[in-house]
Amino acid sequence: MSFQIDCPNCGCRPVWEYHYGGTPRQRPDGSATEREWAEYLYNRPNIAGEQTEWWYHRSACKLWFLVRRDTRTNQVLETKRFTPQEEASGG
């Protein structure tokens, strides 16, 4: 079976329709040092296991959404739209 993602708008589609956007992270504030910015821009977690990631449905609805998946198997565990309330609560 091929790697597929269930878009909250369009349903289950092949991964080549999407663009991977990385893991959600807190952007440094205006007083961040060059080193802090370099860490933010270039050092990303590389977890072997479950993680939450941004994905963009570039070939259809143009929606950015969150995917919880197991990186060892590419099994998609959950997809959902991002809501600002989640950001405020840290979830």
Side-chain angles (χ1 to χ4, degrees), residues 12-81:
C12 199
R13 302 286 184 91
V15 72
W16 58 263
E17 289 192 13
Y18 299 92
H19 173 75
Y20 173 75
T23 56
R25 298 180 300 151
Q26 184 67 39
R27 183 183 172 106
D29 64 21
S31 63
T33 65
E34 286 184 22
R35 183 174 185 81
E36 290 169 327
W37 274 108
E39 287 289 321
Y40 172 75
L41 292 171
Y42 301 110
N43 292 336
R44 305 210 177 232
N46 187 13
I47 298 170
E50 189 178 307
Q51 72 178 9
T52 300
E53 308 162 331
W54 283 110
W55 285 83
Y56 176 64
H57 199 173
R58 66 179 178 204
S59 295
C61 66
K62 311 296 187 214
L63 177 70
W64 279 99
F65 60 98
L66 295 168
V67 174
R68 189 170 53 93
R69 98 182 151 98
D70 187 326
T71 61
R72 295 167 296 196
T73 62
N74 279 335
Q75 178 186 10
V76 175
L77 306 168
E78 176 185 27
T79 61
K80 63 181 179 178
R81 292 175 183 269

